[in-house]
Structures are given as structure tokens and as C-alpha cells.
Amino acid sequence: KSYINNRTFLERPESPKSMAGSGTPPTKRPCNPSGRGGVVVYPGTEASLAHEAAAQFFKTVPDVTFTGAKSFAGVFEAVVAGEAQYGVVPMENSASGTLHAIYDLLMKHDVVVRGELGVREIYCLCAKTKVDASQVGRVMSHPNILEACSTFIEERLPNEPSLEISPTRSTSEAAGMVASLGEGSDAPIVAAIATKGAAVRHGLVVIAENIGNDAFLESRYVAIQLRSNPASTISLPFPEVAPGCVSKASACFALKNEPGAVFKLMSCWALRGLDVLKIETRPFGSGRSAPPGMPSGLARMWEYLFFVDWLVPSGHTEHAKAKLWDSLVEFSVWHRDFGTYPSLVTRAEKQPQSWADMVDLMAKS
């Protein structure tokens, strides 16, 4: 059963004017140049998962203004328009995987990554009143979060077709929609999967807590910034000396469609003893979705862009970085560098969720 089945719902283009932090679009203005605070934009509203991640990213920076956007696209557009200095967006969930829309937006907009942070996420099933999970007739949340809680949905909620699954643009939107629903005797009980903070903010009751597929779930969030932005007026989201922090680099490449093309590109890292952490492919965009600067005629059906993340070892010199990039350029026909940045994520063995504990929790709630 797949819950990620409505990509157009997630990728509807949004105007930068459609920012929705407090419900009032902010005035378009340059970012704060004071050297202390600034504007950080995230998808969703207050108490959403992304809002909590943005707060963790910049918790040591004074005078930061956080504001929400209606979509992932709205975050990128606000950064490009100069309405926000940073955007914070999720890249990947440890259970449900990659958010492909973010990769497409990285290609569409000329931004760089300034930092990456793994944020633990605890998902709660929330409703307007205290009910048993087996009574829920409709569940709402972001598609990636629905996927990350798929085991709970399949084993603890009513079976389809009696259960309706509705995707939303964010977990906070799901909580708000449940809170705004009218009550009727014949209407199905509707629940949202969101944070406990979102449940409190919208006056919902938590039916079940920590319902993810794994006992510990984490999402990788990145802070993006306009490439042409002058030196940052906000310090990096976390110091590079933080325990467990590593240096990471990301880039995207278009290759010739010929035997050995991927092998040649991978050899640039392999022959230097560099650790490639992730490879992701996406279809070429065309028209308004084409990456800026991509040569015409390069985008073809069933050919792909290769996104690569790799570890930058301690002591890796600027000369060594330049030589690596020269080799990568040699074996690609188009490329874009997203930068080198600090990364702090959890590296631990996955543990399955304990449903015995979950049943006990639900019985006590």
C-alpha cells in the first residue's frame, strides 16, 4: 500500500506572496542586514514538523523571525525573492525516504545548501475528541508522514475501503483541517497525524503517540540560501565542532548516455578514497522546470540527472577539492555544485516499533 500518490498536490506552484506564518503575507523586503537576526522560512505553519526543525536549526541565533509558506515551492520562491535569508526544508525521512519535490526545486532555483540537521520526529494521531483508533474513518497528513506511519495505519486503523486516507501539504495543515471540521452524527471520525504541539495549538486530543514505523524516526532537513547572496548575516545553524558533525558536499550531474558513464563519474570519488553517501536520480525538467543554464537539447525522455552527496574528510584541502571537481566536470556534460556544508544526523541501528507498548499507551490514554 502506498500513500505517496499525489505529487501534483505537493508541487502546486505558489507565489512568494502566499506566505502563511501568521496568516498574513509578509511585506516583500530585503533580509535583515544587522548581522544578528533574519528571516527563516519553512513549509507549513507554527507547530509543524518543519517549524520545529527550523527552530532547532537556529536555536542559538538571536532575533530570528520564523515564517511559514504554503508549500515547498513557496519556501524556495521566498528565498529567491529576498523575502527570507534562509529556507528550511526536509530532504528525506528515515522511514518513508526521499522527498523528490525538493530535488526538483533545487534544480529549478539557484540556491546552495548551508547546513543539514537530522531532527527526531514523533508522530501523533489526533482527533477532536477522545475516541478509539479503530473508530477513525478518515486520516489526514503529509504523504511522507502517512508512509512513515504506514504500519500503524494498516494494523491499528480500520481496513480500506472503510478508511479514507487524505494527503495534505503539511502535518500542521492536517491538524488545522481536523479542528475546523463540523461534527455530525453520520460523519466519519477524522484524525490527523501531526506533532503534539500541533494538537495543542489546534485544540485536538492525542489518541496515540509515537506511531512511526520505527522506534526512532528522523528526517534530514537542510537550510538553503540564494547562491548570489552576500556573506551570511546569520551564523551557521550549528558549529562545525559540534559532536558528530561532519563536512558534506552535494552536487548534480548530467551524463552522456553511453556505456561506463556512471562508472567514470563514480571513479572520481572511489579513486580518491572518498565516501559517497547517497545517489538520487531525477528526470530532466523542460520548459519552466528546466534548470537554469542547462544547454538546449540535453533533456531527453528516460534520461536522468544524478544527485550525489559525499563525505568531505577532515584535512581535505582546497586544492584536493578543486582537482576532484575538475574530474567530475570532465566526466559530465552539465553540473551544478550545491556547496560544502556541516551535517549532523543520527547514525544508529534501526529498531522496529514496539506495538505492545503502543497498545498499553492507547489503553491508558
Side-chain angles (χ1 to χ4, degrees):
K1 184 190 297 182
S2 176
Y3 303 101
I4 305 178
N5 55 9
N6 198 340
R7 286 178 49 76
T8 55
F9 184 85
L10 297 176
E11 298 175 354
R12 287 181 293 185
E14 294 286 340
S15 165
K17 296 180 181 179
S18 64
M19 308 291 290
S22 61
T24 302
T27 304
K28 187 172 181 178
R29 63 191 185 276
C31 297
N32 186 343
S34 66
R36 287 176 61 79
V39 179
V40 177
V41 61
Y42 59 89
T45 58
E46 186 180 343
S48 67
L49 292 165
H51 176 236
E52 294 183 356
Q56 289 192 43
F57 244 121
F58 294 93
K59 64 182 179 181
T60 61
V61 183
D63 305 325
V64 172
T65 299
F66 297 101
T67 186
K70 288 184 178 179
S71 67
F72 295 149
V75 172
F76 281 79
E77 290 167 4
V79 171
V80 171
E83 293 179 350
Q85 185 174 28
Y86 279 107
V88 174
V89 291
M91 289 292 294
E92 185 175 17
N93 180 279
S94 61
S96 56
T98 301
L99 283 86
H100 294 121
I102 302 300
Y103 284 90
D104 297 339
L105 289 164
L106 282 170
M107 294 307 308
K108 186 176 180 180
H109 301 284
D110 194 19
V111 297
V112 293
V113 177
R114 289 296 310 278
E116 177 182 71
L117 185 62
V119 179
R120 185 181 184 186
E121 296 182 338
I122 298 176
Y123 312 130
C124 301
L125 186 68
C126 318
K128 295 189 73 170
T129 58
K130 184 178 180 180
V131 296
D132 189 88
S134 62
Q135 297 175 274
V136 172
R138 182 183 178 195
V139 62
M140 310 171 70
S141 195
H142 186 280
N144 271 69
I145 306 308
L146 291 168
E147 189 74 45
C149 301
S150 59
T151 302
F152 178 85
I153 292 172
E154 291 170 358
E155 296 187 5
R156 302 297 169 184
L157 298 187
N159 294 327
E160 293 185 297
S162 59
L163 178 68
E164 181 182 351
I165 299 173
S166 302
T168 59
R169 285 176 294 194
S170 69
T171 54
S172 56
E173 181 181 73
M177 292 174 70
V178 170
S180 66
L181 291 173
E183 297 182 6
S185 57
D186 295 331
I189 295 174
V190 183
I193 297 178
T195 65
K196 185 180 289 186
V200 171
R201 183 171 186 263
H202 293 284
L204 300 180
V205 177
V206 174
I207 302 172
E209 187 177 353
N210 197 17
I211 62 173
N213 293 348
D214 300 325
F216 184 98
L217 281 173
E218 184 173 88
S219 285
R220 293 191 299 116
Y221 287 82
V222 295
I224 60 167
Q225 189 176 39
L226 188 64
R227 187 184 301 271
S228 59
N229 205 343
S232 175
T233 60
I234 301 181
S235 59
L236 285 174
F238 45 82
E240 296 188 42
V241 295
C245 188
V246 299
S247 184
K248 185 174 174 181
S250 299
C252 180
F253 307 92
L255 309 180
K256 291 182 180 180
N257 188 3
E258 62 182 21
V262 176
F263 171 82
K264 291 174 184 176
L265 188 73
M266 292 297 106
S267 70
C268 297
W269 292 283
L271 295 176
R272 290 170 172 82
L274 299 178
D275 186 6
V276 171
L277 301 173
K278 182 178 175 67
I279 304 170
E280 187 80 31
T281 61
R282 294 296 298 148
F284 279 96
S286 60
R288 294 179 60 186
S289 299
M294 178 171 285
S296 60
L298 191 59
R300 302 181 68 84
M301 295 281 288
W302 309 118
E303 294 189 14
Y304 301 92
L305 293 165
F306 291 79
F307 290 81
V308 185
D309 298 341
W310 67 95
L311 194 64
V312 180
S314 177
H316 201 59
T317 65
E318 291 300 319
H319 177 73
K321 292 178 184 178
K323 294 293 287 183
L324 169 64
W325 188 251
D326 287 345
S327 296
L328 294 169
V329 169
E330 178 183 355
F331 293 118
S332 58
V333 294
W334 181 87
H335 40 269
R336 176 180 289 176
D337 182 13
F338 295 115
T340 301
Y341 50 91
S343 171
L344 184 62
V345 299
T346 302
R347 299 285 181 184
E349 181 182 356
K350 282 191 171 186
Q351 297 292 336
Q353 185 64 273
S354 172
W355 296 112
D357 293 343
M358 175 59 65
V359 171
D360 183 62
L361 175 65
M362 292 172 66
K364 295 177 181 178
S365 63

